[in-house]
Amino acid sequence: MTHAQTIYESMPDEVKRQFELDVVLSVSRLIEEIEYKHPFLSNQEKAFFTTMGNASKDANYGAVYEAFGKVLSE
């Protein structure tokens, strides 16, 4: 288990649920903004967001959260 997973698992269920809802709302808003700005994005940005979208369609939410976390941390 990674350090991040250990921290997440130690959180109370109510806090986890609220965190998950906040993340879903944030990602939804980000997606709406990306769709609005899509014509103005670079090819690299388009490829990144397309990959995230495909992972989401495949129900690979862990990959989506990991990618989103990398974007936020970098």
Side-chain angles (χ1 to χ4, degrees):
M1 188 178 298
T2 67
H3 182 67
Q5 289 170 325
T6 302
I7 292 170
Y8 180 77
E9 292 301 323
S10 70
M11 296 167 81
D13 288 339
E14 184 177 316
V15 173
K16 280 193 247 184
R17 279 191 294 278
Q18 186 59 49
F19 174 76
E20 289 166 355
L21 290 173
D22 289 346
V23 168
V24 168
L25 287 174
S26 295
V27 170
S28 295
R29 289 180 186 140
L30 176 64
I31 290 169
E32 288 175 5
E33 187 71 17
I34 292 165
E35 289 173 344
Y36 176 75
K37 292 182 178 179
H38 190 267
F40 309 107
L41 298 175
S42 70
N43 288 336
Q44 183 178 10
E45 290 169 326
K46 288 178 186 177
F48 171 76
F49 291 120
T50 298
T51 302
M52 280 185 64
N54 291 340
S56 181
K57 287 178 192 172
D58 294 339
N60 189 354
Y61 303 113
V64 174
Y65 292 137
E66 184 177 334
F68 189 66
K70 285 182 181 181
V71 169
L72 291 176
S73 67
E74 290 176 9

